[in-house]
Amino acid sequence: MSDELRPILECLVFLSQEPLTLERISAVLEGVPEEDIRRALESLAASTASPDRGLHLLHTGGGWLFATKPEYDAWARKHLQIERKTKLTSASLETLSIVAYHQPITQSEISAIRGVDSTGSLKTLLEKKLIKIIGHKKAPGNPLIYRTSDRFLQYFGLNSLDDLPKEEEIAKLLQEDKSTEV
Amino acid sequence: MTDPTTDALVPEPASATDGYQVRLEIFEGPLDLLLFLIRKKKIDIHDIPIAAITRDYLDYLDRKDQINLDREAEFLFIAALLIYIKSQMLLPRETDLAEGEDPRRVLVDRLIEYQKVKAACSLLRDKEEDELLKWKRSFLPPLPGAGDIEFLEVSLFDLAATFSRVLKRKEAEGTRTIKGKDVSLEGKIKDLLAVLAAEESIDFLEYFERQETVEDAIVSFFGLLELIQSHRVRAVQDELFKTIRVWLRRERGKGHGS
């Protein structure tokens, strides 16, 4: 079954610009059990991992997507005439990680943690569609409430918020920092 | 707060992304500066010598060139907090303070929280760097210079200005109307729509140049305004003062029985 499904899945994922979800694939391949689809996707992902392929199938942002392999980044950039790729600024990344770990959250709560006003960073993140507004808080001033978006997950190669670096990883990093300094 | 427009960095090869790059010279905020001072002095975050740290902190504030002036208030706020904490610690008390009542507690909690954020940032930064090396189709920007015209929807004034330019040009040609003839608005609208249907889009200037007389041109212009107003066509200008292109609006045009 997996052998028959693989080329079909390859077509469907190829046609997607956003991560293709299992639900969507199920809707297209009516009647095929999700478990079979998942297995076929994993087998496809494994086959694209082979070194003679420039693309690999990624499980990211809650779906499946083709992407070029990191080792060919220089070629991609040369072709697209892009010398540098823009990273988030430190301020934006700080704000984003606070939203990620403390969501749902308001601007003033973020600013309180950072110790600096974060309005500008929030605006940038909204423009980049890495966060979204999900409503107003029932508090004085009815402040906006922010959450991370699906694009956020994809941007960092995560499938869900559970994939965020865990508390232990953070603690470990802080410990390492300390030991390297002493 | 002002974000630098782009913090573009050359992506490093995947192997060189180990370790956290701390930018010592630019502090994201007062807590960042405070953490830096604490680390520099190898101080235990739970037992901060407030007087010494406050002195270092104020020294940094004096060298304002290292601090974004927009954030001066935020830096001063923490300075005030430090001084307040010190004053609380100096106050004589009847009984020794219990563990939880340490005046430094407020600050320490914030610093620990902020430290976690910084650590999470560095982990996310690594992920970002990894992901940026993988090109996805949805992230592909258009090739530079590949005919990406930004269209600009025009206002009535732009239309009128372009029109008066055409008229002036026509006058300069010295064309003379010999015999008056009735030019009907309906007729011109029909004509415009017929041309649009045949040619998909028309060049505003070109179309009016083709009009035989000034009357024809004026009535055509009214016709165009009428069509725009009833949302049957769309007028778009590539750039200010350039020609205006007119398209049929397919989705709405049908309903009007043109």
Side-chain angles (χ1 to χ4, degrees), chain A residues 8-29 37 41 57-66 154 159:
Chain A
I8 305 171
L9 293 172
E10 194 167 2
C11 294
L12 298 183
V13 177
F14 169 74
L15 291 170
S16 315
Q17 293 210 338
E18 296 294 318
L20 187 63
T21 60
L22 205 53
E23 294 89 79
R24 182 63 208 146
I25 300 172
S26 289
V28 176
L29 307 174
I37 298 172
L41 281 167
L57 181 64
L58 297 180
H59 191 199
T60 179
W64 298 80
L65 198 63
F66 277 117
Q154 198 194 328
N159 276 302

Short mmCIF file of all heavy atoms in Angstrom, two decimals, chain A residues 8-29 37 41 57-66 154 159:
data_model
loop_
_atom_site.label_atom_id
_atom_site.label_comp_id
_atom_site.label_asym_id
_atom_site.label_seq_id
_atom_site.Cartn_x
_atom_site.Cartn_y
_atom_site.Cartn_z
N ILE A 8 1.82 9.36 -5.09
CA ILE A 8 0.66 10.27 -5.00
C ILE A 8 0.96 11.36 -3.97
O ILE A 8 0.75 12.55 -4.22
CB ILE A 8 -0.62 9.50 -4.59
CG1 ILE A 8 -0.86 8.34 -5.57
CG2 ILE A 8 -1.82 10.43 -4.53
CD1 ILE A 8 -1.96 7.40 -5.14
N LEU A 9 1.47 10.94 -2.83
CA LEU A 9 1.79 11.91 -1.77
C LEU A 9 2.85 12.89 -2.24
O LEU A 9 2.79 14.08 -1.95
CB LEU A 9 2.27 11.17 -0.51
CG LEU A 9 1.20 10.32 0.16
CD1 LEU A 9 1.81 9.47 1.26
CD2 LEU A 9 0.09 11.20 0.72
N GLU A 10 3.80 12.37 -2.98
CA GLU A 10 4.86 13.24 -3.50
C GLU A 10 4.24 14.35 -4.35
O GLU A 10 4.61 15.52 -4.24
CB GLU A 10 5.86 12.41 -4.31
CG GLU A 10 7.15 13.15 -4.59
CD GLU A 10 8.26 12.25 -5.12
OE1 GLU A 10 8.02 11.04 -5.29
OE2 GLU A 10 9.36 12.77 -5.35
N CYS A 11 3.25 13.98 -5.19
CA CYS A 11 2.56 14.97 -6.02
C CYS A 11 1.86 16.01 -5.15
O CYS A 11 2.00 17.21 -5.37
CB CYS A 11 1.49 14.32 -6.89
SG CYS A 11 2.15 13.23 -8.12
N LEU A 12 1.11 15.52 -4.19
CA LEU A 12 0.30 16.42 -3.37
C LEU A 12 1.17 17.39 -2.59
O LEU A 12 0.89 18.59 -2.54
CB LEU A 12 -0.59 15.62 -2.41
CG LEU A 12 -1.62 14.68 -3.04
CD1 LEU A 12 -2.47 14.02 -1.98
CD2 LEU A 12 -2.49 15.43 -4.05
N VAL A 13 2.24 16.89 -2.01
CA VAL A 13 3.11 17.77 -1.23
C VAL A 13 3.83 18.75 -2.15
O VAL A 13 3.96 19.93 -1.84
CB VAL A 13 4.13 16.95 -0.39
CG1 VAL A 13 5.07 17.89 0.36
CG2 VAL A 13 3.42 16.03 0.58
N PHE A 14 4.22 18.26 -3.33
CA PHE A 14 4.90 19.14 -4.29
C PHE A 14 4.03 20.35 -4.63
O PHE A 14 4.52 21.46 -4.78
CB PHE A 14 5.22 18.36 -5.57
CG PHE A 14 5.68 19.23 -6.71
CD1 PHE A 14 6.96 19.77 -6.70
CD2 PHE A 14 4.84 19.51 -7.77
CE1 PHE A 14 7.39 20.58 -7.74
CE2 PHE A 14 5.28 20.33 -8.82
CZ PHE A 14 6.55 20.86 -8.79
N LEU A 15 2.73 20.12 -4.71
CA LEU A 15 1.82 21.20 -5.10
C LEU A 15 1.52 22.18 -3.96
O LEU A 15 0.86 23.18 -4.18
CB LEU A 15 0.51 20.61 -5.61
CG LEU A 15 0.61 19.88 -6.95
CD1 LEU A 15 -0.67 19.14 -7.26
CD2 LEU A 15 0.94 20.87 -8.07
N SER A 16 1.98 21.88 -2.76
CA SER A 16 1.62 22.72 -1.61
C SER A 16 2.71 23.72 -1.29
O SER A 16 3.89 23.38 -1.28
CB SER A 16 1.41 21.86 -0.36
OG SER A 16 0.64 20.75 -0.68
N GLN A 17 2.27 24.93 -1.03
CA GLN A 17 3.23 25.95 -0.59
C GLN A 17 3.25 26.05 0.93
O GLN A 17 4.22 26.52 1.51
CB GLN A 17 2.87 27.29 -1.19
CG GLN A 17 3.05 27.29 -2.70
CD GLN A 17 3.42 28.64 -3.25
OE1 GLN A 17 3.17 29.66 -2.62
NE2 GLN A 17 4.02 28.67 -4.41
N GLU A 18 2.18 25.64 1.55
CA GLU A 18 2.11 25.62 3.01
C GLU A 18 2.19 24.15 3.42
O GLU A 18 1.88 23.26 2.62
CB GLU A 18 0.78 26.21 3.49
CG GLU A 18 0.59 27.68 3.15
CD GLU A 18 1.58 28.57 3.88
OE1 GLU A 18 1.83 28.33 5.08
OE2 GLU A 18 2.13 29.49 3.25
N PRO A 19 2.61 23.89 4.67
CA PRO A 19 2.68 22.49 5.09
C PRO A 19 1.34 21.78 4.84
O PRO A 19 0.29 22.28 5.21
CB PRO A 19 2.98 22.58 6.59
CG PRO A 19 3.65 23.90 6.76
CD PRO A 19 3.05 24.81 5.73
N LEU A 20 1.41 20.63 4.17
CA LEU A 20 0.20 19.88 3.82
C LEU A 20 -0.18 18.99 5.00
O LEU A 20 0.62 18.15 5.43
CB LEU A 20 0.46 19.05 2.57
CG LEU A 20 -0.74 18.34 1.96
CD1 LEU A 20 -1.78 19.34 1.47
CD2 LEU A 20 -0.30 17.45 0.81
N THR A 21 -1.36 19.18 5.50
CA THR A 21 -1.76 18.45 6.71
C THR A 21 -2.27 17.06 6.37
O THR A 21 -2.76 16.81 5.26
CB THR A 21 -2.86 19.20 7.47
OG1 THR A 21 -3.99 19.33 6.60
CG2 THR A 21 -2.40 20.58 7.90
N LEU A 22 -2.18 16.20 7.34
CA LEU A 22 -2.68 14.84 7.20
C LEU A 22 -4.18 14.86 6.90
O LEU A 22 -4.67 14.09 6.08
CB LEU A 22 -2.41 14.08 8.51
CG LEU A 22 -2.29 12.57 8.42
CD1 LEU A 22 -1.27 12.17 7.37
CD2 LEU A 22 -1.89 12.00 9.77
N GLU A 23 -4.89 15.79 7.52
CA GLU A 23 -6.35 15.88 7.30
C GLU A 23 -6.65 16.17 5.83
O GLU A 23 -7.54 15.57 5.24
CB GLU A 23 -6.98 17.01 8.14
CG GLU A 23 -6.94 16.81 9.63
CD GLU A 23 -5.68 17.36 10.24
OE1 GLU A 23 -5.60 18.58 10.44
OE2 GLU A 23 -4.74 16.58 10.50
N ARG A 24 -5.86 17.09 5.27
CA ARG A 24 -6.09 17.45 3.87
C ARG A 24 -5.83 16.25 2.97
O ARG A 24 -6.59 15.97 2.04
CB ARG A 24 -5.19 18.64 3.51
CG ARG A 24 -5.36 19.16 2.10
CD ARG A 24 -6.75 19.73 1.87
NE ARG A 24 -7.13 19.63 0.45
CZ ARG A 24 -8.34 19.42 0.03
NH1 ARG A 24 -9.34 19.26 0.88
NH2 ARG A 24 -8.60 19.34 -1.26
N ILE A 25 -4.72 15.56 3.24
CA ILE A 25 -4.38 14.39 2.42
C ILE A 25 -5.48 13.35 2.53
O ILE A 25 -5.93 12.79 1.53
CB ILE A 25 -3.01 13.79 2.85
CG1 ILE A 25 -1.91 14.84 2.70
CG2 ILE A 25 -2.69 12.56 2.02
CD1 ILE A 25 -0.57 14.42 3.28
N SER A 26 -5.97 13.14 3.74
CA SER A 26 -7.05 12.17 3.96
C SER A 26 -8.28 12.54 3.14
O SER A 26 -8.94 11.68 2.57
CB SER A 26 -7.46 12.14 5.44
OG SER A 26 -6.47 11.53 6.18
N ALA A 27 -8.55 13.86 3.09
CA ALA A 27 -9.73 14.31 2.35
C ALA A 27 -9.57 14.02 0.86
O ALA A 27 -10.54 13.72 0.17
CB ALA A 27 -9.95 15.80 2.59
N VAL A 28 -8.32 14.12 0.37
CA VAL A 28 -8.09 13.86 -1.05
C VAL A 28 -8.13 12.36 -1.33
O VAL A 28 -8.77 11.90 -2.26
CB VAL A 28 -6.73 14.46 -1.50
CG1 VAL A 28 -6.43 14.11 -2.95
CG2 VAL A 28 -6.75 15.98 -1.32
N LEU A 29 -7.42 11.60 -0.49
CA LEU A 29 -7.37 10.14 -0.68
C LEU A 29 -8.49 9.50 0.13
O LEU A 29 -8.24 8.77 1.07
CB LEU A 29 -6.02 9.59 -0.18
CG LEU A 29 -4.75 10.23 -0.74
CD1 LEU A 29 -3.54 9.67 -0.04
CD2 LEU A 29 -4.65 9.99 -2.23
N ILE A 37 -1.31 6.54 5.48
CA ILE A 37 -0.78 7.76 4.88
C ILE A 37 0.47 8.21 5.64
O ILE A 37 1.50 8.53 5.05
CB ILE A 37 -1.83 8.90 4.90
CG1 ILE A 37 -3.05 8.50 4.06
CG2 ILE A 37 -1.24 10.20 4.40
CD1 ILE A 37 -4.22 9.46 4.18
N LEU A 41 4.18 8.63 4.21
CA LEU A 41 4.89 9.91 4.28
C LEU A 41 6.26 9.73 4.92
O LEU A 41 7.26 10.27 4.44
CB LEU A 41 4.07 10.92 5.09
CG LEU A 41 2.90 11.60 4.37
CD1 LEU A 41 2.00 12.31 5.37
CD2 LEU A 41 3.40 12.59 3.33
N LEU A 57 11.76 15.79 2.33
CA LEU A 57 10.40 15.98 2.81
C LEU A 57 10.48 16.26 4.31
O LEU A 57 11.06 15.48 5.06
CB LEU A 57 9.58 14.72 2.55
CG LEU A 57 8.12 14.77 2.98
CD1 LEU A 57 7.37 15.82 2.20
CD2 LEU A 57 7.46 13.41 2.78
N LEU A 58 9.90 17.39 4.72
CA LEU A 58 9.97 17.78 6.12
C LEU A 58 8.62 17.68 6.79
O LEU A 58 7.59 17.95 6.16
CB LEU A 58 10.42 19.24 6.24
CG LEU A 58 11.79 19.64 5.74
CD1 LEU A 58 11.98 21.12 5.96
CD2 LEU A 58 12.85 18.85 6.47
N HIS A 59 8.63 17.29 8.04
CA HIS A 59 7.42 17.35 8.86
C HIS A 59 7.56 18.61 9.70
O HIS A 59 8.32 18.64 10.66
CB HIS A 59 7.32 16.10 9.73
CG HIS A 59 5.99 15.98 10.40
ND1 HIS A 59 5.79 15.18 11.50
CD2 HIS A 59 4.80 16.54 10.12
CE1 HIS A 59 4.52 15.28 11.87
NE2 HIS A 59 3.90 16.10 11.05
N THR A 60 6.87 19.65 9.31
CA THR A 60 7.04 20.94 9.98
C THR A 60 5.76 21.74 9.95
O THR A 60 4.94 21.55 9.04
CB THR A 60 8.19 21.75 9.31
OG1 THR A 60 8.33 23.00 9.96
CG2 THR A 60 7.92 22.01 7.84
N GLY A 61 5.59 22.62 10.92
CA GLY A 61 4.40 23.48 10.96
C GLY A 61 3.10 22.70 10.95
O GLY A 61 2.10 23.16 10.43
N GLY A 62 3.12 21.48 11.49
CA GLY A 62 1.91 20.68 11.57
C GLY A 62 1.54 20.00 10.26
O GLY A 62 0.42 19.51 10.10
N GLY A 63 2.48 19.97 9.30
CA GLY A 63 2.18 19.31 8.03
C GLY A 63 3.45 18.88 7.34
O GLY A 63 4.52 18.85 7.94
N TRP A 64 3.32 18.56 6.07
CA TRP A 64 4.45 18.05 5.30
C TRP A 64 4.78 19.01 4.17
O TRP A 64 3.88 19.55 3.53
CB TRP A 64 4.14 16.66 4.78
CG TRP A 64 3.91 15.69 5.89
CD1 TRP A 64 2.75 15.54 6.62
CD2 TRP A 64 4.85 14.78 6.45
NE1 TRP A 64 2.93 14.59 7.60
CE2 TRP A 64 4.20 14.09 7.51
CE3 TRP A 64 6.17 14.46 6.17
CZ2 TRP A 64 4.84 13.12 8.27
CZ3 TRP A 64 6.81 13.47 6.92
CH2 TRP A 64 6.14 12.82 7.96
N LEU A 65 6.07 19.18 3.93
CA LEU A 65 6.51 20.19 2.98
C LEU A 65 7.87 19.77 2.39
O LEU A 65 8.71 19.22 3.09
CB LEU A 65 6.66 21.52 3.73
CG LEU A 65 6.70 22.80 2.92
CD1 LEU A 65 5.39 23.01 2.19
CD2 LEU A 65 6.96 23.99 3.84
N PHE A 66 8.04 20.03 1.10
CA PHE A 66 9.36 19.83 0.51
C PHE A 66 10.22 21.06 0.75
O PHE A 66 9.73 22.19 0.67
CB PHE A 66 9.26 19.59 -1.00
CG PHE A 66 8.95 18.18 -1.36
CD1 PHE A 66 7.77 17.87 -2.02
CD2 PHE A 66 9.83 17.16 -1.04
CE1 PHE A 66 7.48 16.55 -2.35
CE2 PHE A 66 9.55 15.85 -1.36
CZ PHE A 66 8.37 15.54 -2.02
N GLN A 154 6.31 26.78 11.70
CA GLN A 154 7.05 26.43 10.49
C GLN A 154 8.39 27.16 10.45
O GLN A 154 9.40 26.60 10.04
CB GLN A 154 6.21 26.80 9.27
CG GLN A 154 6.68 26.11 8.01
CD GLN A 154 6.09 26.73 6.77
OE1 GLN A 154 4.96 27.23 6.78
NE2 GLN A 154 6.83 26.72 5.69
N ASN A 159 6.41 21.38 15.02
CA ASN A 159 5.09 20.90 14.61
C ASN A 159 3.98 21.34 15.55
O ASN A 159 2.83 21.43 15.17
CB ASN A 159 5.09 19.38 14.49
CG ASN A 159 5.62 18.97 13.14
OD1 ASN A 159 5.07 19.37 12.12
ND2 ASN A 159 6.71 18.23 13.14
#
